[in-house]
Amino acid sequence: MTSETITADAAGTWTLGDLTVNRIGFGAMRLTGSAAFHLGTPSDRKRSIAVLHKAMDLGVNHIDTAAFYFSSLRSANEIINSALSPYPDDLVIVAKVGPYRNYAGEWATSARPDDLRGHVEENLRQLGRDHLDVVYLRRMGQDSIAEHFGALAELREEGLIRHLGVSDVEPRHLAEAQAIAPVVSVQNRFGLDSRNPDTDEILRICGEQGIAFVPFFAIAGEGGSHGATDGHDEEVLSVARAHGATPAQVRLAWTLAQGPHVLAIPGTGNPDHLAENIAAGALRLTDQERDTLDSLHQKAG
């Protein structure tokens, strides 16, 4: 595969409400350092800005971010603002609210419903925008999300938010949210080596209802917020060799193959890795390769 010549539209498009995005987007978590949050060393700011410029050059028009994406020296939202403002008309910026980190970077008490306005406004301030295209409510273990989601629905009515999504939810939470306001996307952990029956059901429901499903840690695997896994099953390595691709590209291609409603938001602070991630949108698995990787996923915990 020749990464540098492949653009983000190679995987096709989907809609978030009335907003059309390429199915390969960009996750901003790794803009701030070698690992997410406080787990690595802070990034080189110029390099992170270069990553965003290259993403635009390669056709990325969907960026996933959050105010709590920061390291000791870097803020993902500030880097996005500095690199891309004034923003391209077709760029969709998505944020998530609910989790909270204090100024020391420590995880603190999750947002109450009446805190969410402040969370949304902080994302707006950092990004230099007057509205957010999509905001996810990230469930933080609560049994019901109705009160929290209702608070975001009110901000949507005020025009601070264009569309709403939910994250880290079970099917019942999606239904609970939909009874309050439309949901355009769901963001759950999902990947080749990460299987959860509730998330598999969410994936199916989203496909039936035309809702975008946007998995996180699709490449990272067990590495999670620490960064991409270095451990790959032989099945993944075999498919990668057959296509002249990297294991990460195979993981992304398999993720996208789960349905036309599935989007990918791989993150990186490396311009070369960015190009490789985007090029995965052009990788087409054979039916046999897909079946082999599906079986691998079914065995995952």
Side-chain angles (χ1 to χ4, degrees):
M1 296 180 65
T2 306
S3 298
E4 293 296 334
T5 62
I6 299 173
T7 54
D9 59 357
T13 63
W14 193 254
T15 56
L16 298 171
D18 59 347
L19 303 170
T20 300
V21 297
N22 291 323
R23 291 178 63 211
I24 287 274
F26 179 77
M29 180 183 287
R30 294 292 299 280
L31 286 177
T32 63
S34 60
F37 313 125
H38 58 289
L39 299 174
T41 56
S43 63
D44 178 88
R45 188 170 180 276
K46 290 183 179 179
R47 190 186 196 204
S48 293
I49 288 175
V51 166
L52 288 168
H53 287 162
K54 187 163 189 173
M56 297 301 100
D57 291 341
L58 291 175
V60 169
N61 60 2
H62 170 207
I63 294 179
D64 180 275
T65 188
F68 54 85
Y69 287 175
F70 65 88
S71 66
S72 59
L73 293 178
R74 304 281 177 255
S75 156
N77 282 354
E78 183 277 326
I79 292 171
I80 292 168
N81 189 348
S82 296
L84 303 180
S85 180
Y87 298 104
D89 291 340
D90 67 339
L91 178 61
V92 174
I93 297 182
V94 175
K96 63 186 68 65
V97 296
Y100 174 71
R101 295 173 68 211
N102 62 27
Y103 289 116
E106 299 167 340
W107 292 103
T109 304
S110 303
R112 300 183 305 273
D114 57 356
D115 293 327
L116 291 176
R117 174 182 291 274
H119 283 219
V120 169
E121 290 177 345
E122 181 63 11
N123 277 283
L124 290 171
R125 184 190 68 78
Q126 293 177 4
L127 291 165
R129 303 196 67 171
D130 60 7
H131 76 281
L132 295 170
D133 295 316
V134 182
V135 171
Y136 290 99
L137 172 66
R138 178 65 179 268
R139 185 176 74 96
M140 300 300 293
Q142 64 264 45
D143 185 62
S144 169
I145 64 170
E147 194 173 357
H148 287 76
F149 192 79
L152 290 183
E154 292 178 4
L155 298 180
R156 174 176 172 266
E157 291 296 319
E158 293 180 27
L160 296 183
I161 300 170
R162 191 162 180 175
H163 298 293
L164 296 171
V166 289
S167 176
D168 199 25
V169 294
E170 301 170 11
R172 63 190 178 92
H173 300 118
L174 173 59
E176 189 177 35
Q178 289 176 306
I180 297 169
V183 174
V184 303
S185 53
V186 177
Q187 189 176 100
N188 274 18
R189 182 168 187 162
F190 178 84
L192 188 56
D193 52 6
S194 175
R195 182 171 180 269
N196 179 302
D198 284 330
T199 294
D200 286 351
E201 178 67 4
I202 285 279
L203 173 64
R204 183 191 66 78
I205 292 170
C206 286
E208 290 180 352
Q209 298 186 12
I211 298 170
F213 179 78
V214 190
F216 59 87
F217 295 155
I219 294 179
E222 294 181 357
S225 55
H226 290 267
T229 181
D230 292 325
H232 302 287
D233 295 282
E234 179 54 37
E235 293 91 336
V236 175
L237 296 173
S238 176
V239 174
R241 288 191 293 266
H243 290 270
T246 67
Q249 288 175 319
V250 171
R251 288 172 177 270
L252 282 173
W254 176 85
T255 301
L256 291 168
Q258 300 309 301
H261 65 298
V262 178
L263 312 184
I265 49 169
T268 181
N270 183 316
D272 293 333
H273 289 167
L274 171 75
E276 290 178 357
N277 290 341
I278 291 173
L283 197 165
R284 301 292 183 263
L285 302 173
T286 67
D287 290 343
Q288 182 176 354
E289 290 168 342
R290 169 83 181 272
D291 289 344
T292 297
L293 295 175
D294 284 350
S295 296
L296 195 62
H297 174 68
Q298 291 301 317
K299 298 174 185 175

